[in-house]
């Protein structure tokens, strides 16, 4: 599985946009990029998944450049409740049977 | 659906005792995963099943750990004998297919004293 690197922590303020970049230089052709969110004392929760270009849902946007060696999770207008740890995962779901390997994650703190 | 259900939510046991953690996946989900989370090591995938069959148990730390899935609606993770270093939060997750998102339970916080 491709190794991922993301910042350990980020601070932001309510109403701002938060962008978290994940590096995955060794991403393979069949690899997808998935982001999960984890609140304290809860299990991780799926946010978004993509393969290339841009994906958007009601929660976030995921930007993937053409070379796919990195990806950026964008959280628009964050609130205090968005304080959580955000994990970037890269994996070949078909070959590896949906093997979800979590890295260290990025701890996002939203301040009032 | 109530989501992935784990029991117990908290478990405190003495070193050397057997511990059994339980998981009920979401109905219709073919994949089931067991994870362990600690401050030092983060989230570690221990084992996962596809259609009740263990596919990859390379993350199971040692022979003291075992997992079973006797049917599509139930799985157990057993530690025998337990040790203080097994103290962690254990999560169970399930997904419908290999490509779909995984849904996690609330976790079991295990403390071995």
């Amino acid at each position: 599985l491709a190794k991922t690197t993301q910042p350990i922590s980020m601070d932001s303020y309510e109403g701002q946009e938060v962008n978290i970049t994940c590096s995955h230089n060794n991403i393979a052709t069949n690899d997808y990029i998935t982001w999960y969110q984890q609140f304290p004392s809860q299990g991780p929760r799926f946010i978004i998944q993509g393969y290339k270009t841009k994906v958007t849902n009601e929660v976030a946007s995921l930007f993937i450049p053409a070379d796919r060696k990195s990806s950026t999770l964008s959280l628009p207008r964050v609130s205090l409740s968005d304080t959580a740890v955000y994990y970037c995962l890269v994996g070949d779901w078909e070959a590896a049977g949906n093997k979800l390997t979590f890295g260290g994650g990025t701890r996002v703190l939203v301040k009032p | 659906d109530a989501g992935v259900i784990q029991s117990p939510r908290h478990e405190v046991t003495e070193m050397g005792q057997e511990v059994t953690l339980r998981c009920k996946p979401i109905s219709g989900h073919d994949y089931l995963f067991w994870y362990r989370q600690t401050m030092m090591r983060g989230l570690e995938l221990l084992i996962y099943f596809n259609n009740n069959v263990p596919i990859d148990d390379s993350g199971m730390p040692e022979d003291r750990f075992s997992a079973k899935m006797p049917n599509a609606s139930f799985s157990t993770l057993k530690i025998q004998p337990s040790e203080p270093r097994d103290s962690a939060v254990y999560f169970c997750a399930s997904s419908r297919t290999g490509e779909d998102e995984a849904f996690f339970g609330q976790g079991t916080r295990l403390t071995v004293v």
Side-chain angles (χ1 to χ4, degrees):
Chain A
L1 295 175
K3 178 179 169 57
T4 60
T5 303
Q6 51 183 126
I8 294 175
S9 64
M10 297 179 69
D11 287 358
S12 183
Y13 291 91
E14 282 190 292
Q16 289 189 336
E17 179 181 80
V18 171
N19 296 305
I20 309 171
T21 297
C22 178
S23 297
H24 28 81
N25 292 318
N26 297 323
I27 190 168
T29 302
N30 293 333
D31 286 347
Y32 283 75
I33 300 157
T34 310
W35 286 79
Y36 280 78
Q37 172 191 56
Q38 185 178 25
F39 297 116
S41 302
Q42 293 187 27
R45 183 177 71 125
F46 172 90
I47 300 178
I48 197 166
Q49 178 175 294
Y51 183 81
K52 61 180 180 180
T53 63
K54 176 184 175 182
V55 179
T56 298
N57 61 23
E58 65 277 6
V59 177
S61 294
L62 178 60
F63 298 91
I64 306 169
D67 66 4
R68 303 200 327 121
K69 294 183 182 300
S70 67
S71 59
T72 299
L73 175 72
S74 181
L75 306 172
R77 299 180 298 282
V78 294
S79 62
L80 297 177
S81 62
D82 292 316
T83 293
V85 178
Y86 293 82
Y87 295 95
C88 167
L89 286 73
V90 174
D92 180 348
W93 306 137
E94 294 179 359
N98 199 19
K99 190 171 186 176
L100 298 169
T101 302
F102 287 77
T106 298
R107 190 172 299 273
V108 173
L109 174 62
V110 180
K111 302 175 183 178
Chain B
D1 200 309
V4 175
I5 300 174
Q6 293 186 246
S7 64
R9 288 296 308 279
H10 302 273
E11 176 81 34
V12 180
T13 190
E14 292 185 344
M15 182 174 62
Q17 296 296 308
E18 177 181 293
V19 175
T20 299
L21 311 181
R22 297 172 176 80
C23 175
K24 181 181 183 335
I26 294 173
S27 177
H29 282 196
D30 290 339
Y31 285 81
L32 184 139
F33 310 83
W34 281 101
Y35 285 87
R36 176 173 68 176
Q37 186 170 35
T38 61
M39 288 293 293
M40 291 297 294
R41 301 175 68 90
L43 265 165
E44 302 174 277
L45 176 63
L46 301 177
I47 186 173
Y48 76 94
F49 295 82
N50 180 17
N51 291 320
N52 313 337
V53 177
I55 303 300
D56 186 347
D57 64 354
S58 60
M60 296 285 263
E62 47 199 275
D63 292 344
R64 298 185 297 108
F65 285 70
S66 63
K68 294 182 180 179
M69 192 164 185
N71 56 63
S73 60
F74 184 65
S75 177
T76 60
L77 178 67
K78 184 178 294 186
I79 308 173
Q80 165 64 16
S82 58
E83 296 181 4
R85 60 193 169 118
D86 301 331
S87 297
V89 179
Y90 290 80
F91 288 104
C92 175
S94 70
S95 66
R96 191 171 59 87
T97 70
E99 290 83 31
D100 282 349
E101 64 182 280
F103 293 84
F104 283 75
Q106 291 286 72
T108 295
R109 181 174 296 277
L110 173 65
T111 303
V112 183
V113 298

